[in-house]
Amino acid sequence: MLSTVTFSTDKGSYSFPKETFHQYVQKQFLQEKKSFLLIPAPNANDFVPVDVVKQIAAESEDMQRQLDIVFQTIPDHNESLRDFHYTFVNMPEKPDDQLFEQDPSAYINALELLSDDKPGLFVNDIDGGKFHFVSQRHYDALGDFVMKYVQDELLKNRCKLDEYWLPLDSNFPHDQMVNIFMSKDALTNPNKLMVLIQGSGAVRPGQWARALCMNDSLKTGTQYNYIVQAMKEGYGVIVLNPNQNNYILPHMDDPIKYKKEGYLNRNKPEPLAKNAKQPILHNQSPPEHTVYVWDNFIQKAAAKDIVIVAHSAGGWCTMELLKQRTQSTLSKVRGIAFTDSVHSVYSSDPKPVRDFIVDHAVNWVTSDKPCDTVVSRKRQGAACECRSAGHIKHEHTSEFCREAVFPFLQAKIQQNSH
């Protein structure tokens, strides 16, 4: 008689041939990297119970080993990535801090870019395996600690950027404010300043895409290479934070956030009540944040030439800045590199802005063509030339077109000097 696996959930009872079902579950967990909480029951709108997954793992050495590792990444208490048993490896060697104190220029020149050989990979510290998803709360918590790693290790420790909290001249606690980062010479460099604006969502300063940091590498997921290359080429740097527009009242937050109970809950967090989120003064939307940083920092910088790199919704922020501060921006901004931007230019926009975008901006878009190949003169209302970013996925575009972006922006600076 054919052996079967039988189990029941609150949605129904199921029976499957044992051998094929075991193979299916093992494939879902080991090859597809599905969470042990979220393995779909075949041909049903349901999930395989965890105790059944554990029973199947007990009969497979490979699956049991991986399941044991995944359980070790679910901490009882968490204060750092180390508590989740995750870390970043294959990182470039960092120059000695003493060199920065003695000769900042030499330190910057000694900084290595993240590369294919040393891309910064997110792995567990148990067997060096890649990230394995558990639940949305677990993923979000890890994402918060990855953000902290990027800001503390890459921006502050390696690149020596300074952190500023907004709004200025306020006494709010930091969890009710928004942070940006600037190089030591961002406001005093008399020559060039580069402004970096990421896209929408969970990304924060230093990141292009949170998911890439965890599933691909820091090379593709962070702004680190832009910051390092910019400083090597003599730019001051300002990194914006357009997405952190509100803070959550603690007593109205998800009660099992950052808790093991939450990490082991397969359901996504319930939406918070509308009044749980409180706006951050002067930074209540991505464009408002961008304009605020322009008014209080960028336009006061000594640099005679400013360039902007804007990814995805960062293009929307850039367009709103140009429209709301047309005179001051167009007097100093020399070029804009959009990376698969979602901005639009309308006939109702100020004519100087429309003309500027046509003459001084390029949008590097998703394409299977070689990087920097002209794709179209205009696309989706972008009003500017569109070139291939050299990658077909939106979130990869910024890093893949970087080597085309810098010469373009430098050419625009030189064009203005003639």
Side-chain angles (χ1 to χ4, degrees), residues 105-131:
S105 295
Y107 176 91
I108 290 169
N109 288 332
L111 277 174
E112 294 181 48
L113 296 175
L114 291 161
S115 64
D116 290 341
D117 292 332
K118 296 180 179 179
L121 300 177
F122 190 59
V123 300
N124 71 64
D125 62 14
I126 303 160
D127 73 343
K130 289 188 175 182
F131 169 65

Side-chain angles (χ1 to χ4, degrees), residues 82-275:
R82 190 172 302 169
D83 295 321
F84 290 86
H85 286 285
Y86 277 107
T87 187
F88 284 98
V89 298
N90 289 10
M91 295 288 293
E93 187 174 347
K94 175 184 170 294
D96 193 281
D97 287 337
Q98 190 173 359
L99 178 61
F100 183 79
E101 296 170 5
Q102 296 171 346
D103 188 343
S105 295
Y107 176 91
I108 290 169
N109 288 332
L111 277 174
E112 294 181 48
L113 296 175
L114 291 161
S115 64
D116 290 341
D117 292 332
K118 296 180 179 179
L121 300 177
F122 190 59
V123 300
N124 71 64
D125 62 14
I126 303 160
D127 73 343
K130 289 188 175 182
F131 169 65
H132 199 131
F133 186 84
V134 174
S135 67
Q136 189 62 47
R137 287 183 177 87
H138 184 260
Y139 179 80
D140 288 341
L142 267 174
D144 287 344
F145 285 110
V146 167
M147 173 195 70
K148 182 172 174 56
Y149 176 90
V150 168
Q151 294 182 1
D152 289 349
E153 174 60 23
L154 300 189
L155 302 195
K156 292 196 281 190
N157 187 31
R158 288 177 178 254
C159 294
K160 305 302 180 187
L161 302 193
D162 292 325
E163 185 176 22
Y164 291 78
W165 290 91
L166 312 179
L168 297 171
D169 303 321
S170 65
N171 296 317
F172 302 123
H174 283 174
D175 60 5
Q176 297 179 17
M177 302 175 76
V178 57
N179 58 342
I180 63 171
F181 292 83
M182 301 196 298
S183 62
K184 305 291 185 190
D185 67 340
L187 301 182
T188 59
N189 186 320
N191 300 313
K192 303 189 293 185
L193 174 66
M194 178 174 287
V195 179
L196 300 178
I197 311 177
Q198 63 268 40
S200 62
V203 284
R204 296 292 183 265
Q207 296 176 313
W208 292 126
R210 183 176 73 169
L212 287 183
C213 295
M214 299 167 69
N215 295 301
D216 192 74
S217 69
L218 293 176
K219 176 179 181 286
T220 56
T222 72
Q223 299 169 334
Y224 177 81
N225 279 355
Y226 273 83
I227 296 168
V228 172
Q229 184 168 346
M231 293 193 300
K232 286 178 179 289
E233 295 190 10
Y235 288 92
V237 178
I238 297 182
V239 182
L240 271 61
N241 188 1
N243 301 316
Q244 197 168 333
N245 309 126
N246 51 60
Y247 64 92
I248 300 173
L249 296 172
H251 67 282
M252 300 184 73
D253 204 353
D254 177 11
I256 54 176
K257 183 179 182 180
Y258 300 132
K259 294 183 179 180
K260 189 171 186 177
E261 175 189 357
Y263 302 153
L264 291 172
N265 189 320
R266 66 163 56 99
N267 298 317
K268 292 183 178 181
E270 293 291 329
L272 299 176
K274 289 185 178 180
N275 60 344

Side-chain angles (χ1 to χ4, degrees), residues 308-379:
I308 298 173
V309 180
H311 175 60
S312 191
W316 166 50
C317 297
T318 302
M319 289 306 304
E320 289 300 311
L321 172 64
L322 295 178
K323 288 187 284 186
Q324 294 182 40
R325 297 291 186 269
T326 302
Q327 185 173 354
S328 62
T329 53
L330 298 192
S331 68
K332 298 190 77 174
V333 176
R334 308 304 177 208
I336 299 172
F338 295 116
T339 61
D340 213 30
S341 170
V342 295
H343 75 277
S344 294
V345 178
Y346 302 100
S347 59
S348 58
D349 291 339
K351 187 177 186 302
V353 171
R354 287 185 278 128
D355 292 343
F356 181 85
I357 293 299
V358 170
D359 295 333
H360 297 273
V362 164
N363 191 10
W364 278 270
V365 299
T366 53
S367 172
D368 58 2
K369 292 181 171 60
C371 180
D372 218 29
T373 303
V374 175
V375 175
S376 66
R377 296 301 172 184
K378 293 183 181 180
R379 193 177 84 166

